[in-house]
């Protein structure tokens, strides 16, 4: 009986719901479409920086899809000590792009990059117990600020997608691209409003299909390259050479790993809050270890550091589909795409503007979820409001002004160039300073929050007032304008009931 009770308790987790094969495939494909542009962006940029041809860049993309799929399956299903069993899609982390390009252009080449990723990720794997213990420093005050920032930092991505994606393209920002994005956004809203729960949950996928069909009718999408190239291809280990280990490259990449650990911690806690499930330090640690072990294996096949994708956290919030098995199927689809370049070319044909239209809702929903979490915070007679304001504002600096940290040391710029990391670090630090370290705190309200406290008075005060009494210049007057004496509490006559 006891084992049966425990089994029932475990299955009550919202993420353990299994929606069935067809629903898992449909919702999983929706996740893949949402993150596809992001997962291929890193190998595309790195391949171009390394001077690779289109065929070689294609191998980098295939490897990234393949490893991202394996990492997603590990994260969602989980094995002992690895995988948080939450609906999180894994893929190549964009936080590593600048460092990878710097290593490549400095003459290290891809072998040096792969060696740095392996070594730095192994160190990250060793320090995950430290990161998993910081969960008590992530109250709603911190997680709400970070989740809000995740959504806000992704909005420039949605804007670039809506404008066409490629800033060097002559039609970047054209009315055709923005109009296509607006049409896709309108479809999302229409499908979301329909009474059918199934259609509403698939609103992102259906709107992308509708947007792509419109683009095809207008001649804005090209499927001619879909059949060009192999149908099947397995990522070849060490295709780009044996990893080389150079200390400067490893140190630079380790800073990136620290950023990834912070961002993944924020994503794990964010999705746990969105689907309303418990995330303790053990579960957070399992998620971080899955990130790091995936990053260790990725370079062997020609990929890079892995992390949770924030845009898919937004998809979970929009659709309300909490099942981790849906994301497991997304991982399986990614593996198939990595083994079948043909399918990858089909998805790659989806216009970037279509992704932009859907991204406005996806990323905005992440920010809205953070605002909802911040609504749980107590702002009365404390510094919580200024903590949130400072943390979110600090995180927005590199977003509104990408060159803000250009004059700073490289290690500092690497950490704080991520708005998510900036907000997380500032929110944690200020929360510790004002809410955990009581020494030096004032018992008076800060001028920044003085007007935010809900007023209240004791019943005894009301009993002493008459109709029409009012305050003026610190004095109490009755309805006829006569001043009423304010007697100190110790001199106030006791009610008859007290005698």
């Amino acid at each position: 009986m006891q084992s049966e009770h425990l089994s029932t308790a475990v299955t009550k987790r919202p993420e353990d719901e299994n929606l069935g094969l067809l629903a898992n495939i449909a919702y999983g494909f929706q996740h893949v479409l949402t993150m596809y542009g992001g997962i291929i962006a890193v190998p595309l940029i790195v391949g171009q920086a390394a001077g690779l041809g289109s065929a070689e860049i294609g191998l980098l993309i295939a490897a990234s899809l393949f490893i991202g799929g394996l990492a997603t399956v590990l994260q969602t299903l989980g094995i002992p000590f690895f995988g948080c069993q939450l609906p999180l899609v894994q893929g190549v982390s964009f936080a590593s792009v600048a460092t990878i390009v710097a290593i490549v252009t400095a003459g290290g080449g891809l072998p040096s990059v792969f060696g740095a990723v392996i070594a730095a990720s192994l160190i990250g794997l060793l320090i995950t117990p430290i990161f998993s213990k910081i969960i008590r420093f992530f109250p709603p005050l911190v997680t709400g600020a970070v989740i809000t920032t995740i959504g806000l930092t992704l909005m420039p991505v949605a804007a670039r997608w809506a404008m066409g994606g490629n800033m060097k393209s002559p039609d970047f920002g054209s009315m055709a691209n923005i109009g296509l994005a607006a049409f896709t956004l309108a479809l999302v809203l229409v499908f979301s409003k329909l009474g059918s729960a199934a259609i509403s949950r698939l609103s992102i996928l259906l709107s992308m299909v509708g947007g792509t069909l419109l683009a095809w009718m207008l001649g804005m999408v090209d499927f001619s390259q879909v059949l060009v190239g192999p149908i099947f291809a397995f990522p070849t280990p060490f295709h780009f050479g044996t990893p080389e280990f150079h200390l400067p490259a490893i140190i630079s990449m380790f800073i990136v790993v620290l950023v990834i650990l912070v961002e993944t911690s924020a994503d794990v806690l964010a999705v746990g809050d969105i689907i309303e499930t418990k995330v303790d330090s053990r579960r957070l640690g399992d998620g971080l270890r899955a990130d790091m072990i995936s990053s260790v294996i990725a370079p062997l096949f020609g990929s890079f550091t892995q992390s949770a994708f924030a845009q898919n956290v937004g998809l979970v919030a929009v659709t309300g589909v909490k099942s981790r098995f849906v994301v497991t199927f997304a991982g399986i689809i990614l593996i198939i795409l990595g083994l079948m370049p043909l399918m990858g070319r089909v998805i790659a044909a989806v216009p970037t503007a279509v992704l932009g239209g859907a991204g406005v809702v996806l990323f905005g929903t992440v920010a809205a979820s953070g605002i909802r979490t911040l609504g749980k915070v107590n702002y009365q007679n404390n510094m919580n409001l200024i903590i949130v304001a400072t943390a979110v504002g600090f995180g927005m600096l590199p977003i509104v002004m990408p060159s803000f940290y250009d004059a700073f040391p490289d290690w500092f710029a690497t950490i704080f160039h991520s708005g998510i990391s900036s907000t997380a670090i500032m929110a944690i630090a200020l929360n510790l300073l004002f809410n955990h370290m009581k020494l030096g705190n004032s018992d008076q309200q800060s001028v920044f929050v003085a007007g935010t406290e809900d007023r209240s008075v004791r019943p005894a005060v009301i009993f002493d007032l008459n109709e029409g009494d009012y305050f003026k210049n610190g004095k109490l007057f009755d309805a006829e304008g006569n001043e009423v004496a304010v007697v100190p509490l110790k001199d106030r006559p006791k009610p008859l009931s007290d005698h």
Side-chain angles (χ1 to χ4, degrees), residues 177-454:
N177 282 330
I178 296 177
L180 181 59
F183 175 77
T184 306
L185 172 60
L187 286 181
V188 174
L189 299 177
V190 170
F191 288 134
S192 299
K193 184 176 176 58
L194 294 177
S196 172
I199 293 179
S200 180
R201 286 182 167 187
L202 286 171
S203 59
I204 300 297
L205 175 59
L206 294 175
S207 64
M208 287 184 178
V209 173
T212 303
L213 287 175
L214 176 63
W216 175 69
M217 289 186 291
L218 296 176
M220 297 176 62
V221 60
D222 181 15
F223 291 106
S224 62
Q225 298 299 311
V226 169
L227 297 178
V228 177
I231 297 177
F232 298 97
F234 188 86
T236 305
F238 305 116
H239 176 82
F240 296 96
T242 305
E244 299 176 2
F245 301 91
H246 303 288
L247 186 59
I250 293 173
I251 293 174
S252 298
M253 192 59 64
F254 178 63
I255 296 173
V256 173
V257 166
L258 290 176
V259 173
I260 291 173
L261 287 172
V262 173
E263 290 188 341
T264 298
S265 296
D267 289 334
V268 170
L269 294 169
V271 79
D273 182 77
I274 289 170
I275 70 173
E276 299 179 339
T277 193
K278 181 180 179 182
V279 178
D280 53 19
S281 59
R282 172 65 181 274
R283 202 170 188 185
L284 177 60
D286 289 348
L288 295 177
R289 281 187 286 273
D291 245 15
M292 291 298 100
I293 197 65
S294 300
S295 298
V296 171
I297 297 173
L300 305 180
F301 292 90
S303 190
F304 311 100
T305 50
Q306 303 291 303
S307 68
F309 267 48
Q311 52 261 53
N312 290 86
V313 175
L315 184 59
V316 172
V318 169
T319 63
V321 178
K322 304 176 181 181
S323 172
R324 59 190 172 100
F325 301 114
V326 164
V327 180
T328 300
F329 271 80
I332 295 173
I333 294 172
L334 286 173
I335 294 173
I336 294 173
L337 292 176
L339 298 176
M340 294 181 61
L342 172 66
M343 293 299 296
R345 292 192 292 270
V346 171
I347 295 181
V350 174
T352 309
V354 170
L355 297 176
V360 171
V361 179
L362 291 174
F363 307 156
T365 303
V366 178
S369 298
I371 294 171
R372 181 182 61 185
T373 300
L374 290 173
K376 304 174 184 177
V377 178
N378 175 25
Y379 298 100
Q380 295 183 16
N381 200 27
N382 55 43
M383 294 292 288
N384 285 343
L385 186 66
I386 195 172
I387 292 174
V388 173
T390 305
V392 174
F394 191 67
M396 287 296 98
L397 290 178
I399 307 304
V400 299
M401 186 57 65
S403 60
F404 188 85
Y405 293 113
D406 284 0
F408 286 71
D410 290 342
W411 65 268
F412 189 94
T414 300
I415 295 175
F416 289 97
H417 187 71
S418 166
I420 300 172
S421 297
S422 297
T423 299
I425 292 171
M426 181 62 73
I428 293 171
L430 293 181
N431 182 50
L432 288 173
L433 178 64
F434 290 113
N435 293 331
H436 289 266
M437 299 172 59
K438 301 295 185 179
L439 182 64
N441 281 5
S442 171
D443 60 354
Q444 302 297 317
Q445 286 186 338
S446 164
V447 66
F448 293 102
V449 296
T452 64
E453 182 177 9
D454 294 333

Side-chain angles (χ1 to χ4, degrees), residues 20-39:
L21 180 62
L22 293 179
N24 285 337
I25 293 175
Y27 296 137
F29 193 69
Q30 187 169 238
H31 271 284
V32 172
L33 281 176
T34 302
M35 54 85 70
Y36 190 84
I39 200 171

